[in-house]
Amino acid sequence: MTELSEVVQSLKAERSHPLCAYIYDLGHLKRHASRCIETLPATCRLFYAVKANSEEPILRALAPIVHGFEVASLGEVEKVRSVAPDAPILFGGPGKTDAEIEGALQHRVSLLHVESAHELRRVDYLAGRAGRVADILLRVNLRGPLPSATLYMAGKPTQFGIDEEDIPAVIGLAKRCQHVRLRGFHFHSISNDLDATGHAHLVAHYLRLTRTWAARFSLDIAYVNAGGGLGVNYRQLDKQFDWEAFTTELNQLLPDECPPGATILFECGRYMTAACGAYAVEVLDIKRNHGKDYVIVRGGTHHFRLPSSWQHSHPFTLVPLEGWTAPIERPELRDGTITVVGQLCTPKDVLAYDVAVERVRVGDVILFQYAGAYGWSISHHDFLSHPHPEQIFLEGGAC
Ligand SMILES: *Cc1c(COP(=O)(O)O)cnc(C)c1O
């Protein structure tokens, strides 16, 4: 982090306007991804879920490392293909259009994740029309209960997947389709799970269900996609998802639980890219209203919607910057408790709240950590028409 604050100082020195930038450390990203791949159990493959951050340098950095990419639109397929013409791609998501299914087949997507019986019939029809056989996984919406996490895609009513109760009927339908080949099942049930051992047990639950269906319907299972959902702890930065515990537990479970000959797929977004990115914003003003201290920064939730989406106070560090040259007093707050807000005209534009700081001054820079996943990519960039943040990709190894 010291090195990143040096980066901020040199960026600031080169600019006359207030700093507002996403800063990504590609060296950190590549090291993190490589470590994950190297320590993955032999029967597992790790894909990157593109929606977490689809900036080209991120995809380019990951392409030689990960086993492939998971996408949820034709736009994402095209982004992947522009940097990795031959990488394996998994295509999922509800409400695929004809153009998306046809485009996926043209772009040689490895597996289509089918989300409903109607979608299965459409994939069969469109693959037949293209003279193809599509390899598919059926996406399962489990009955639950599921372990605790921040978001739930299954285990309760949602728009995702096929109700576990309906899976037998849809397997029957898939078997009657001539232009699809059922290769296994897809389970992406929760997001931001921080319990590594619990997550491994959830994977084991997926594998047991798959074996039950495989036996009952004489299926040859090539893949079980266990989804993403490995968490990032935004509240306690020193208590991150324990990858080592996760892989150790998997190594113990897999020999008994994995269907013979099957490969287990993971498609992680947040866990891959959150840590490599920071959102750096300069303090524009400091003021007190109704007894509370507000720090207003150049930027806001239109660039970084995650804290407002999840209603959390996002972790940050402060980079003190010297060289104040304005011919007026520099506002400063000492030993205060601050709420950090952006430039938007809505009280919801809050990035962090009730954080104790020793000193903050106008012209200092606030660095929001773990901003590399679901940061810029999920934000409503043009609300209020402020300039966009710079996107800075460091090749070397700051952080
Ligand atoms: C978003 C998504 C992922 C990635 O989820 P993370 O929580 O970021 O790991 C994986 N699979 C599917 C189907 C998704 O929709």
Side-chain angles (χ1 to χ4, degrees):
M1 207 30 87
T2 326
E3 290 175 58
L4 194 54
S5 59
E6 281 163 19
V7 170
V8 165
Q9 293 190 5
S10 64
L11 288 173
K12 183 57 198 154
E14 291 160 8
R15 283 156 183 76
S16 53
H17 52 264
L19 186 66
C20 177
Y22 270 94
I23 306 173
Y24 298 103
D25 183 339
L26 299 179
H28 181 286
L29 174 64
K30 289 188 240 184
R31 285 193 300 279
H32 172 62
S34 302
R35 263 199 306 273
C36 293
I37 296 281
E38 283 157 17
T39 50
L40 210 55
T43 51
C44 299
R45 299 287 178 271
L46 180 59
F47 285 63
Y48 172 56
V50 167
K51 76 172 186 286
N53 186 328
S54 62
E55 296 293 316
E56 190 194 302
I58 299 278
L59 300 183
R60 215 174 265 292
L62 286 174
I65 302 170
V66 295
H67 293 115
F69 294 91
E70 185 266 348
V71 303
S73 72
L74 192 53
E76 287 186 347
V77 174
E78 286 161 357
K79 282 184 179 179
V80 170
R81 279 290 171 253
S82 73
V83 305
D86 299 315
I89 296 180
L90 315 173
F91 189 121
K96 299 176 193 72
T97 63
D98 286 3
E100 282 178 313
I101 294 168
E102 287 168 337
L105 293 169
Q106 274 161 20
H107 282 286
R108 295 166 288 110
V109 157
S110 309
L111 291 169
L112 276 165
H113 297 153
V114 171
E115 300 250 355
S116 73
H118 176 58
E119 190 168 278
L120 177 58
R121 293 190 187 94
R122 288 177 49 239
V123 170
D124 184 48
Y125 169 70
L126 294 169
R129 208 168 65 176
R132 298 276 297 276
V133 174
D135 282 333
I136 63 152
L137 303 184
L138 294 181
R139 180 166 185 185
V140 182
N141 189 325
L142 290 174
R143 277 277 136 172
L146 296 174
S148 72
T150 307
L151 294 178
Y152 294 87
M153 273 61 70
K156 61 174 203 174
T158 68
Q159 66 269 51
F160 303 108
I162 299 160
D163 192 319
E164 184 179 333
E165 289 191 345
D166 298 331
I167 287 288
V170 182
I171 291 173
L173 176 61
K175 287 183 143 196
R176 295 191 296 279
C177 290
Q178 308 217 325
H179 302 284
V180 300
R181 187 163 45 202
L182 178 58
R183 308 301 309 272
F185 299 94
H186 173 237
F187 305 83
H188 172 69
S189 307
I190 55 180
S191 189
N192 211 39
D193 188 1
L194 291 169
D195 174 3
T197 312
H199 203 82
H201 287 277
L202 182 62
V203 174
H205 176 56
Y206 299 158
L207 297 173
R208 277 194 291 277
L209 257 181
T210 301
R211 282 188 286 122
T212 309
W213 287 322
R216 185 166 155 206
F217 299 99
S218 308
L219 302 175
D220 193 8
I221 300 294
Y223 301 104
V224 178
N225 187 331
L230 310 196
V232 164
N233 195 337
Y234 299 102
R235 289 170 213 278
Q236 289 176 281
L237 297 188
D238 57 344
K239 292 214 169 82
Q240 292 304 333
F241 184 89
D242 188 344
W243 176 264
E244 200 188 321
F246 179 57
T247 50
T248 304
E249 196 68 19
L250 280 180
N251 272 317
Q252 270 163 21
L253 293 167
L254 292 180
D256 290 335
E257 304 286 9
C258 191
T263 298
I264 297 162
L265 309 174
F266 292 100
E267 40 185 30
C268 295
R270 186 183 316 279
Y271 189 70
M272 300 302 287
T273 50
C276 79
Y279 177 49
V281 285
E282 187 167 328
V283 175
L284 299 178
D285 204 351
I286 299 175
K287 66 178 168 193
R288 193 176 182 84
N289 259 343
H290 295 257
K292 249 176 136 49
D293 287 310
Y294 288 88
V295 167
I296 299 161
V297 297
R298 157 75 184 98
T301 54
H302 52 318
H303 299 164
F304 186 46
R305 194 167 72 88
L306 180 63
S308 106
S309 167
W310 281 19
Q311 301 281 293
H312 74 208
S313 177
H314 204 86
F316 65 81
T317 57
L318 258 164
V319 183
L321 289 179
E322 305 311 323
W324 177 263
T325 51
I328 44 173
E329 192 184 320
R330 184 175 189 181
E332 161 176 323
L333 176 75
R334 278 184 183 270
D335 297 320
T337 300
I338 61 170
T339 292
V340 182
V341 299
Q343 297 171 286
L344 300 184
C345 308
T346 158
K348 298 202 166 169
D349 189 20
V350 176
L351 297 162
Y353 49 85
D354 301 334
V355 186
V357 292
E358 274 175 28
R359 183 183 70 169
V360 55
R361 297 168 299 178
V362 169
D364 287 342
V365 166
I366 290 185
L367 260 181
F368 287 97
Q369 299 148 287
Y370 289 91
Y374 305 111
W376 177 244
S377 70
I378 63 161
S379 304
H380 42 300
H381 307 153
D382 291 319
F383 182 45
L384 261 82
S385 305
H386 282 294
H388 290 178
E390 294 179 67
Q391 303 277 347
I392 293 164
F393 298 91
L394 307 173
E395 286 297 332
C399 291

